[in-house]
């Protein structure tokens, strides 16, 4: 009986630890609301300081425009090179219009389309998580300002 109690206690403790680890992992994921707020924060900074300083902050990964697994990127509404990218500096200066996800979605074209026609909105596609490297469903909020769009995506684990 004593062994059974110890065994059940160990299982219970392991379950609690697993639940806590899962909750901590979920807490590291940004929400849709946080993504929109980060974009709006960057737009306000851009309006006050201009694109050069804004791009330097995003590209320099100072933490000003990062939260949990969220990061920003900026590109022109018309086809053209990425201006700033908070997760991958190698993408800055590259035209990504022909980039597709694993399902064949031309998501960067959709970013420009949403920004150009609607001014703001969401685009769904699949992309490697910048923190874990795992391929995940992602929904990115884009918002146009002048001739560029600011964007921030939310990873959706398990989808």
């Amino acid at each position: 009986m004593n062994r059974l109690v110890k065994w059940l206690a160990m299982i219970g403790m392991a379950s609690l630890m697993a639940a806590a680890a899962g909750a901590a992992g979920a807490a590291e994921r940004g929400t849709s609301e946080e993504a929109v707020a980060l974009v709006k924060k960057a737009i306000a900074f851009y309006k006050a300081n201009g694109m050069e300083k804004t791009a330097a902050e995003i590209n320099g990964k100072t933490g000003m425009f990062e939260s949990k697994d969220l990061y920003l990127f900026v590109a022109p509404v018309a086809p053209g090179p990425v201006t700033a990218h908070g997760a991958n500096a190698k993408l800055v200066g590259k035209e990504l219009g022909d980039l597709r996800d694993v399902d064949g979605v031309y998501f960067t074209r959709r970013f420009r389309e949403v920004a150009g026609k609607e001014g703001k909105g969401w685009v769904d596609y699949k992309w490697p998580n910048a923190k874990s490297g795992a391929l995940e469903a992602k929904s990115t909020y884009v918002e146009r300002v002048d001739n560029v769009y600011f964007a921030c995506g939310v990873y959706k684990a398990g989808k």
Side-chain angles (χ1 to χ4, degrees):
M1 179 76 167
N2 197 13
R3 289 175 100 178
L4 178 62
V5 171
K6 286 182 182 179
W7 183 75
L8 289 173
M10 286 175 49
I11 289 175
M13 193 61 131
S15 296
L16 285 173
M17 289 172 59
E28 293 300 313
R29 290 188 177 272
T31 66
S32 298
E33 294 80 13
E34 290 169 324
V36 171
L38 200 57
V39 166
K40 301 236 182 247
K41 178 181 175 184
I43 290 170
F45 187 88
Y46 161 72
K47 288 179 178 179
N49 298 285
M51 184 53 73
E52 187 174 330
K53 193 167 185 178
T54 304
E57 287 292 334
I58 294 169
N59 292 332
K61 298 182 72 155
T62 63
M64 178 183 281
F65 297 117
E66 294 178 54
S67 176
K68 300 177 185 173
D69 63 347
L70 302 177
Y71 59 87
L72 290 172
F73 53 98
V74 181
V77 174
V82 172
T83 307
H85 200 290
N88 189 347
K90 293 178 184 176
L91 297 178
V92 175
K94 297 197 176 172
E95 161 57 53
L96 303 177
D98 290 330
L99 193 61
R100 292 186 285 177
D101 75 357
V102 296
D103 295 328
V105 175
Y106 287 98
F107 56 93
T108 56
R109 292 180 187 177
R110 286 282 301 133
F111 296 157
R112 291 194 312 258
E113 183 180 304
V114 168
K117 292 181 181 174
E118 300 163 34
K120 61 185 173 182
W122 291 90
V123 175
D124 296 324
Y125 57 105
K126 292 180 182 160
W127 191 248
N129 185 308
K131 299 278 185 185
S132 70
L135 183 64
E136 296 183 28
K138 188 171 186 179
S139 189
T140 292
Y141 176 74
V142 298
E143 187 168 333
R144 180 183 183 155
V145 179
D146 299 329
N147 293 319
V148 298
Y149 64 84
F150 287 77
C152 183
V154 178
Y155 292 102
K156 300 176 176 186
K159 295 183 181 176

mmCIF file with all atom_site columns, all heavy atoms in Angstrom, residues 78-101:
data_model
loop_
_atom_site.group_PDB
_atom_site.id
_atom_site.type_symbol
_atom_site.label_atom_id
_atom_site.label_alt_id
_atom_site.label_comp_id
_atom_site.label_asym_id
_atom_site.label_entity_id
_atom_site.label_seq_id
_atom_site.pdbx_PDB_ins_code
_atom_site.Cartn_x
_atom_site.Cartn_y
_atom_site.Cartn_z
_atom_site.occupancy
_atom_site.B_iso_or_equiv
_atom_site.pdbx_formal_charge
_atom_site.auth_seq_id
_atom_site.auth_comp_id
_atom_site.auth_asym_id
_atom_site.auth_atom_id
_atom_site.pdbx_PDB_model_num
ATOM 1   N N   . ALA A 1 78  ? 4.100  48.125 -52.584 1.00 0.00 ? 78  ALA A N   1
ATOM 2   C CA  . ALA A 1 78  ? 4.448  47.723 -53.955 1.00 0.00 ? 78  ALA A CA  1
ATOM 3   C C   . ALA A 1 78  ? 5.578  46.701 -53.852 1.00 0.00 ? 78  ALA A C   1
ATOM 4   O O   . ALA A 1 78  ? 6.326  46.698 -52.873 1.00 0.00 ? 78  ALA A O   1
ATOM 5   C CB  . ALA A 1 78  ? 4.904  48.943 -54.744 1.00 0.00 ? 78  ALA A CB  1
ATOM 6   N N   . PRO A 1 79  ? 5.718  45.824 -54.842 1.00 0.00 ? 79  PRO A N   1
ATOM 7   C CA  . PRO A 1 79  ? 6.828  44.861 -54.775 1.00 0.00 ? 79  PRO A CA  1
ATOM 8   C C   . PRO A 1 79  ? 8.162  45.576 -54.544 1.00 0.00 ? 79  PRO A C   1
ATOM 9   O O   . PRO A 1 79  ? 8.445  46.595 -55.170 1.00 0.00 ? 79  PRO A O   1
ATOM 10  C CB  . PRO A 1 79  ? 6.791  44.183 -56.149 1.00 0.00 ? 79  PRO A CB  1
ATOM 11  C CG  . PRO A 1 79  ? 5.353  44.291 -56.567 1.00 0.00 ? 79  PRO A CG  1
ATOM 12  C CD  . PRO A 1 79  ? 4.902  45.627 -56.039 1.00 0.00 ? 79  PRO A CD  1
ATOM 13  N N   . GLY A 1 80  ? 8.914  45.036 -53.606 1.00 0.00 ? 80  GLY A N   1
ATOM 14  C CA  . GLY A 1 80  ? 10.201 45.629 -53.266 1.00 0.00 ? 80  GLY A CA  1
ATOM 15  C C   . GLY A 1 80  ? 10.820 44.902 -52.096 1.00 0.00 ? 80  GLY A C   1
ATOM 16  O O   . GLY A 1 80  ? 10.219 44.007 -51.510 1.00 0.00 ? 80  GLY A O   1
ATOM 17  N N   . PRO A 1 81  ? 12.041 45.271 -51.750 1.00 0.00 ? 81  PRO A N   1
ATOM 18  C CA  . PRO A 1 81  ? 12.773 44.558 -50.700 1.00 0.00 ? 81  PRO A CA  1
ATOM 19  C C   . PRO A 1 81  ? 12.258 44.848 -49.286 1.00 0.00 ? 81  PRO A C   1
ATOM 20  O O   . PRO A 1 81  ? 11.747 45.923 -49.002 1.00 0.00 ? 81  PRO A O   1
ATOM 21  C CB  . PRO A 1 81  ? 14.204 45.062 -50.866 1.00 0.00 ? 81  PRO A CB  1
ATOM 22  C CG  . PRO A 1 81  ? 14.052 46.410 -51.483 1.00 0.00 ? 81  PRO A CG  1
ATOM 23  C CD  . PRO A 1 81  ? 12.832 46.332 -52.355 1.00 0.00 ? 81  PRO A CD  1
ATOM 24  N N   . VAL A 1 82  ? 12.433 43.866 -48.410 1.00 0.00 ? 82  VAL A N   1
ATOM 25  C CA  . VAL A 1 82  ? 12.090 43.995 -46.996 1.00 0.00 ? 82  VAL A CA  1
ATOM 26  C C   . VAL A 1 82  ? 12.925 45.119 -46.394 1.00 0.00 ? 82  VAL A C   1
ATOM 27  O O   . VAL A 1 82  ? 14.136 45.196 -46.605 1.00 0.00 ? 82  VAL A O   1
ATOM 28  C CB  . VAL A 1 82  ? 12.350 42.664 -46.253 1.00 0.00 ? 82  VAL A CB  1
ATOM 29  C CG1 . VAL A 1 82  ? 12.194 42.816 -44.755 1.00 0.00 ? 82  VAL A CG1 1
ATOM 30  C CG2 . VAL A 1 82  ? 11.440 41.575 -46.791 1.00 0.00 ? 82  VAL A CG2 1
ATOM 31  N N   . THR A 1 83  ? 12.290 45.996 -45.650 1.00 0.00 ? 83  THR A N   1
ATOM 32  C CA  . THR A 1 83  ? 12.950 47.138 -45.023 1.00 0.00 ? 83  THR A CA  1
ATOM 33  C C   . THR A 1 83  ? 13.526 46.774 -43.665 1.00 0.00 ? 83  THR A C   1
ATOM 34  O O   . THR A 1 83  ? 14.615 47.229 -43.298 1.00 0.00 ? 83  THR A O   1
ATOM 35  C CB  . THR A 1 83  ? 11.932 48.286 -44.841 1.00 0.00 ? 83  THR A CB  1
ATOM 36  O OG1 . THR A 1 83  ? 11.318 48.553 -46.103 1.00 0.00 ? 83  THR A OG1 1
ATOM 37  C CG2 . THR A 1 83  ? 12.585 49.538 -44.312 1.00 0.00 ? 83  THR A CG2 1
ATOM 38  N N   . ALA A 1 84  ? 12.791 45.971 -42.905 1.00 0.00 ? 84  ALA A N   1
ATOM 39  C CA  . ALA A 1 84  ? 13.219 45.583 -41.553 1.00 0.00 ? 84  ALA A CA  1
ATOM 40  C C   . ALA A 1 84  ? 12.623 44.223 -41.228 1.00 0.00 ? 84  ALA A C   1
ATOM 41  O O   . ALA A 1 84  ? 11.511 43.903 -41.657 1.00 0.00 ? 84  ALA A O   1
ATOM 42  C CB  . ALA A 1 84  ? 12.757 46.618 -40.539 1.00 0.00 ? 84  ALA A CB  1
ATOM 43  N N   . HIS A 1 85  ? 13.379 43.429 -40.452 1.00 0.00 ? 85  HIS A N   1
ATOM 44  C CA  . HIS A 1 85  ? 12.879 42.117 -40.037 1.00 0.00 ? 85  HIS A CA  1
ATOM 45  C C   . HIS A 1 85  ? 13.489 41.772 -38.683 1.00 0.00 ? 85  HIS A C   1
ATOM 46  O O   . HIS A 1 85  ? 14.693 41.603 -38.575 1.00 0.00 ? 85  HIS A O   1
ATOM 47  C CB  . HIS A 1 85  ? 13.238 41.050 -41.074 1.00 0.00 ? 85  HIS A CB  1
ATOM 48  C CG  . HIS A 1 85  ? 12.392 39.833 -40.979 1.00 0.00 ? 85  HIS A CG  1
ATOM 49  N ND1 . HIS A 1 85  ? 12.488 38.940 -39.934 1.00 0.00 ? 85  HIS A ND1 1
ATOM 50  C CD2 . HIS A 1 85  ? 11.408 39.371 -41.790 1.00 0.00 ? 85  HIS A CD2 1
ATOM 51  C CE1 . HIS A 1 85  ? 11.606 37.975 -40.116 1.00 0.00 ? 85  HIS A CE1 1
ATOM 52  N NE2 . HIS A 1 85  ? 10.938 38.207 -41.221 1.00 0.00 ? 85  HIS A NE2 1
ATOM 53  N N   . GLY A 1 86  ? 12.647 41.677 -37.674 1.00 0.00 ? 86  GLY A N   1
ATOM 54  C CA  . GLY A 1 86  ? 13.106 41.457 -36.311 1.00 0.00 ? 86  GLY A CA  1
ATOM 55  C C   . GLY A 1 86  ? 13.594 40.065 -35.986 1.00 0.00 ? 86  GLY A C   1
ATOM 56  O O   . GLY A 1 86  ? 14.242 39.864 -34.968 1.00 0.00 ? 86  GLY A O   1
ATOM 57  N N   . ALA A 1 87  ? 13.311 39.086 -36.840 1.00 0.00 ? 87  ALA A N   1
ATOM 58  C CA  . ALA A 1 87  ? 13.740 37.713 -36.543 1.00 0.00 ? 87  ALA A CA  1
ATOM 59  C C   . ALA A 1 87  ? 14.877 37.236 -37.436 1.00 0.00 ? 87  ALA A C   1
ATOM 60  O O   . ALA A 1 87  ? 15.628 36.360 -37.045 1.00 0.00 ? 87  ALA A O   1
ATOM 61  C CB  . ALA A 1 87  ? 12.569 36.747 -36.681 1.00 0.00 ? 87  ALA A CB  1
ATOM 62  N N   . ASN A 1 88  ? 14.995 37.811 -38.640 1.00 0.00 ? 88  ASN A N   1
ATOM 63  C CA  . ASN A 1 88  ? 15.998 37.310 -39.579 1.00 0.00 ? 88  ASN A CA  1
ATOM 64  C C   . ASN A 1 88  ? 16.573 38.456 -40.396 1.00 0.00 ? 88  ASN A C   1
ATOM 65  O O   . ASN A 1 88  ? 16.013 38.848 -41.421 1.00 0.00 ? 88  ASN A O   1
ATOM 66  C CB  . ASN A 1 88  ? 15.376 36.248 -40.495 1.00 0.00 ? 88  ASN A CB  1
ATOM 67  C CG  . ASN A 1 88  ? 16.387 35.537 -41.349 1.00 0.00 ? 88  ASN A CG  1
ATOM 68  O OD1 . ASN A 1 88  ? 17.534 35.955 -41.470 1.00 0.00 ? 88  ASN A OD1 1
ATOM 69  N ND2 . ASN A 1 88  ? 15.954 34.452 -41.953 1.00 0.00 ? 88  ASN A ND2 1
ATOM 70  N N   . ALA A 1 89  ? 17.704 38.973 -39.957 1.00 0.00 ? 89  ALA A N   1
ATOM 71  C CA  . ALA A 1 89  ? 18.352 40.104 -40.625 1.00 0.00 ? 89  ALA A CA  1
ATOM 72  C C   . ALA A 1 89  ? 18.741 39.773 -42.066 1.00 0.00 ? 89  ALA A C   1
ATOM 73  O O   . ALA A 1 89  ? 18.867 40.680 -42.894 1.00 0.00 ? 89  ALA A O   1
ATOM 74  C CB  . ALA A 1 89  ? 19.584 40.537 -39.836 1.00 0.00 ? 89  ALA A CB  1
ATOM 75  N N   . LYS A 1 90  ? 18.892 38.489 -42.394 1.00 0.00 ? 90  LYS A N   1
ATOM 76  C CA  . LYS A 1 90  ? 19.266 38.089 -43.753 1.00 0.00 ? 90  LYS A CA  1
ATOM 77  C C   . LYS A 1 90  ? 18.164 38.385 -44.770 1.00 0.00 ? 90  LYS A C   1
ATOM 78  O O   . LYS A 1 90  ? 18.415 38.413 -45.972 1.00 0.00 ? 90  LYS A O   1
ATOM 79  C CB  . LYS A 1 90  ? 19.617 36.604 -43.800 1.00 0.00 ? 90  LYS A CB  1
ATOM 80  C CG  . LYS A 1 90  ? 20.883 36.261 -43.040 1.00 0.00 ? 90  LYS A CG  1
ATOM 81  C CD  . LYS A 1 90  ? 21.152 34.771 -43.069 1.00 0.00 ? 90  LYS A CD  1
ATOM 82  C CE  . LYS A 1 90  ? 22.364 34.445 -42.222 1.00 0.00 ? 90  LYS A CE  1
ATOM 83  N NZ  . LYS A 1 90  ? 22.604 33.006 -42.140 1.00 0.00 ? 90  LYS A NZ  1
ATOM 84  N N   . LEU A 1 91  ? 16.945 38.606 -44.296 1.00 0.00 ? 91  LEU A N   1
ATOM 85  C CA  . LEU A 1 91  ? 15.836 38.905 -45.199 1.00 0.00 ? 91  LEU A CA  1
ATOM 86  C C   . LEU A 1 91  ? 15.764 40.389 -45.572 1.00 0.00 ? 91  LEU A C   1
ATOM 87  O O   . LEU A 1 91  ? 15.116 40.744 -46.549 1.00 0.00 ? 91  LEU A O   1
ATOM 88  C CB  . LEU A 1 91  ? 14.507 38.463 -44.580 1.00 0.00 ? 91  LEU A CB  1
ATOM 89  C CG  . LEU A 1 91  ? 14.364 36.963 -44.333 1.00 0.00 ? 91  LEU A CG  1
ATOM 90  C CD1 . LEU A 1 91  ? 13.027 36.661 -43.667 1.00 0.00 ? 91  LEU A CD1 1
ATOM 91  C CD2 . LEU A 1 91  ? 14.510 36.172 -45.623 1.00 0.00 ? 91  LEU A CD2 1
ATOM 92  N N   . VAL A 1 92  ? 16.421 41.243 -44.807 1.00 0.00 ? 92  VAL A N   1
ATOM 93  C CA  . VAL A 1 92  ? 16.413 42.678 -45.092 1.00 0.00 ? 92  VAL A CA  1
ATOM 94  C C   . VAL A 1 92  ? 17.102 42.919 -46.432 1.00 0.00 ? 92  VAL A C   1
ATOM 95  O O   . VAL A 1 92  ? 18.170 42.392 -46.701 1.00 0.00 ? 92  VAL A O   1
ATOM 96  C CB  . VAL A 1 92  ? 17.107 43.475 -43.961 1.00 0.00 ? 92  VAL A CB  1
ATOM 97  C CG1 . VAL A 1 92  ? 17.199 44.960 -44.317 1.00 0.00 ? 92  VAL A CG1 1
ATOM 98  C CG2 . VAL A 1 92  ? 16.360 43.280 -42.651 1.00 0.00 ? 92  VAL A CG2 1
ATOM 99  N N   . GLY A 1 93  ? 16.428 43.708 -47.287 1.00 0.00 ? 93  GLY A N   1
ATOM 100 C CA  . GLY A 1 93  ? 16.972 44.012 -48.605 1.00 0.00 ? 93  GLY A CA  1
ATOM 101 C C   . GLY A 1 93  ? 16.590 43.013 -49.677 1.00 0.00 ? 93  GLY A C   1
ATOM 102 O O   . GLY A 1 93  ? 16.940 43.183 -50.838 1.00 0.00 ? 93  GLY A O   1
ATOM 103 N N   . LYS A 1 94  ? 15.844 41.958 -49.312 1.00 0.00 ? 94  LYS A N   1
ATOM 104 C CA  . LYS A 1 94  ? 15.442 40.943 -50.288 1.00 0.00 ? 94  LYS A CA  1
ATOM 105 C C   . LYS A 1 94  ? 13.978 41.114 -50.660 1.00 0.00 ? 94  LYS A C   1
ATOM 106 O O   . LYS A 1 94  ? 13.137 41.411 -49.818 1.00 0.00 ? 94  LYS A O   1
ATOM 107 C CB  . LYS A 1 94  ? 15.679 39.547 -49.724 1.00 0.00 ? 94  LYS A CB  1
ATOM 108 C CG  . LYS A 1 94  ? 17.137 39.304 -49.462 1.00 0.00 ? 94  LYS A CG  1
ATOM 109 C CD  . LYS A 1 94  ? 17.436 37.857 -49.298 1.00 0.00 ? 94  LYS A CD  1
ATOM 110 C CE  . LYS A 1 94  ? 18.906 37.798 -49.160 1.00 0.00 ? 94  LYS A CE  1
ATOM 111 N NZ  . LYS A 1 94  ? 19.646 36.841 -48.872 1.00 0.00 ? 94  LYS A NZ  1
ATOM 112 N N   . GLU A 1 95  ? 13.689 40.903 -51.924 1.00 0.00 ? 95  GLU A N   1
ATOM 113 C CA  . GLU A 1 95  ? 12.305 40.897 -52.427 1.00 0.00 ? 95  GLU A CA  1
ATOM 114 C C   . GLU A 1 95  ? 11.767 39.492 -52.209 1.00 0.00 ? 95  GLU A C   1
ATOM 115 O O   . GLU A 1 95  ? 12.359 38.516 -52.677 1.00 0.00 ? 95  GLU A O   1
ATOM 116 C CB  . GLU A 1 95  ? 12.299 41.263 -53.909 1.00 0.00 ? 95  GLU A CB  1
ATOM 117 C CG  . GLU A 1 95  ? 11.057 40.874 -54.675 1.00 0.00 ? 95  GLU A CG  1
ATOM 118 C CD  . GLU A 1 95  ? 9.754  41.423 -54.126 1.00 0.00 ? 95  GLU A CD  1
ATOM 119 O OE1 . GLU A 1 95  ? 9.645  42.641 -53.931 1.00 0.00 ? 95  GLU A OE1 1
ATOM 120 O OE2 . GLU A 1 95  ? 8.858  40.616 -53.879 1.00 0.00 ? 95  GLU A OE2 1
ATOM 121 N N   . LEU A 1 96  ? 10.669 39.363 -51.500 1.00 0.00 ? 96  LEU A N   1
ATOM 122 C CA  . LEU A 1 96  ? 10.142 38.050 -51.123 1.00 0.00 ? 96  LEU A CA  1
ATOM 123 C C   . LEU A 1 96  ? 8.794  37.733 -51.761 1.00 0.00 ? 96  LEU A C   1
ATOM 124 O O   . LEU A 1 96  ? 8.078  36.860 -51.298 1.00 0.00 ? 96  LEU A O   1
ATOM 125 C CB  . LEU A 1 96  ? 10.027 37.957 -49.595 1.00 0.00 ? 96  LEU A CB  1
ATOM 126 C CG  . LEU A 1 96  ? 11.315 38.204 -48.818 1.00 0.00 ? 96  LEU A CG  1
ATOM 127 C CD1 . LEU A 1 96  ? 11.044 38.160 -47.311 1.00 0.00 ? 96  LEU A CD1 1
ATOM 128 C CD2 . LEU A 1 96  ? 12.386 37.199 -49.199 1.00 0.00 ? 96  LEU A CD2 1
ATOM 129 N N   . GLY A 1 97  ? 8.455  38.431 -52.833 1.00 0.00 ? 97  GLY A N   1
ATOM 130 C CA  . GLY A 1 97  ? 7.147  38.249 -53.472 1.00 0.00 ? 97  GLY A CA  1
ATOM 131 C C   . GLY A 1 97  ? 6.876  36.852 -53.980 1.00 0.00 ? 97  GLY A C   1
ATOM 132 O O   . GLY A 1 97  ? 5.726  36.445 -54.103 1.00 0.00 ? 97  GLY A O   1
ATOM 133 N N   . ASP A 1 98  ? 7.907  36.094 -54.306 1.00 0.00 ? 98  ASP A N   1
ATOM 134 C CA  . ASP A 1 98  ? 7.716  34.732 -54.805 1.00 0.00 ? 98  ASP A CA  1
ATOM 135 C C   . ASP A 1 98  ? 7.798  33.686 -53.703 1.00 0.00 ? 98  ASP A C   1
ATOM 136 O O   . ASP A 1 98  ? 7.740  32.487 -53.982 1.00 0.00 ? 98  ASP A O   1
ATOM 137 C CB  . ASP A 1 98  ? 8.754  34.411 -55.889 1.00 0.00 ? 98  ASP A CB  1
ATOM 138 C CG  . ASP A 1 98  ? 8.487  35.197 -57.163 1.00 0.00 ? 98  ASP A CG  1
ATOM 139 O OD1 . ASP A 1 98  ? 7.305  35.499 -57.440 1.00 0.00 ? 98  ASP A OD1 1
ATOM 140 O OD2 . ASP A 1 98  ? 9.454  35.517 -57.877 1.00 0.00 ? 98  ASP A OD2 1
ATOM 141 N N   . LEU A 1 99  ? 7.923  34.120 -52.467 1.00 0.00 ? 99  LEU A N   1
ATOM 142 C CA  . LEU A 1 99  ? 8.024  33.201 -51.343 1.00 0.00 ? 99  LEU A CA  1
ATOM 143 C C   . LEU A 1 99  ? 6.669  32.549 -51.080 1.00 0.00 ? 99  LEU A C   1
ATOM 144 O O   . LEU A 1 99  ? 5.648  33.235 -50.995 1.00 0.00 ? 99  LEU A O   1
ATOM 145 C CB  . LEU A 1 99  ? 8.499  33.972 -50.105 1.00 0.00 ? 99  LEU A CB  1
ATOM 146 C CG  . LEU A 1 99  ? 8.965  33.171 -48.910 1.00 0.00 ? 99  LEU A CG  1
ATOM 147 C CD1 . LEU A 1 99  ? 10.156 32.297 -49.282 1.00 0.00 ? 99  LEU A CD1 1
ATOM 148 C CD2 . LEU A 1 99  ? 9.374  34.121 -47.791 1.00 0.00 ? 99  LEU A CD2 1
ATOM 149 N N   . ARG A 1 100 ? 6.676  31.209 -50.967 1.00 0.00 ? 100 ARG A N   1
ATOM 150 C CA  . ARG A 1 100 ? 5.452  30.463 -50.687 1.00 0.00 ? 100 ARG A CA  1
ATOM 151 C C   . ARG A 1 100 ? 5.658  29.602 -49.455 1.00 0.00 ? 100 ARG A C   1
ATOM 152 O O   . ARG A 1 100 ? 6.774  29.205 -49.149 1.00 0.00 ? 100 ARG A O   1
ATOM 153 C CB  . ARG A 1 100 ? 5.104  29.548 -51.862 1.00 0.00 ? 100 ARG A CB  1
ATOM 154 C CG  . ARG A 1 100 ? 4.700  30.301 -53.091 1.00 0.00 ? 100 ARG A CG  1
ATOM 155 C CD  . ARG A 1 100 ? 4.228  29.376 -54.169 1.00 0.00 ? 100 ARG A CD  1
ATOM 156 N NE  . ARG A 1 100 ? 5.354  28.697 -54.775 1.00 0.00 ? 100 ARG A NE  1
ATOM 157 C CZ  . ARG A 1 100 ? 5.257  27.780 -55.701 1.00 0.00 ? 100 ARG A CZ  1
ATOM 158 N NH1 . ARG A 1 100 ? 4.078  27.391 -56.129 1.00 0.00 ? 100 ARG A NH1 1
ATOM 159 N NH2 . ARG A 1 100 ? 6.330  27.222 -56.213 1.00 0.00 ? 100 ARG A NH2 1
ATOM 160 N N   . ASP A 1 101 ? 4.547  29.293 -48.794 1.00 0.00 ? 101 ASP A N   1
ATOM 161 C CA  . ASP A 1 101 ? 4.640  28.364 -47.672 1.00 0.00 ? 101 ASP A CA  1
ATOM 162 C C   . ASP A 1 101 ? 4.538  26.929 -48.197 1.00 0.00 ? 101 ASP A C   1
ATOM 163 O O   . ASP A 1 101 ? 4.469  26.706 -49.417 1.00 0.00 ? 101 ASP A O   1
ATOM 164 C CB  . ASP A 1 101 ? 3.599  28.683 -46.592 1.00 0.00 ? 101 ASP A CB  1
ATOM 165 C CG  . ASP A 1 101 ? 2.181  28.274 -46.949 1.00 0.00 ? 101 ASP A CG  1
ATOM 166 O OD1 . ASP A 1 101 ? 1.939  27.769 -48.069 1.00 0.00 ? 101 ASP A OD1 1
ATOM 167 O OD2 . ASP A 1 101 ? 1.295  28.453 -46.101 1.00 0.00 ? 101 ASP A OD2 1
#
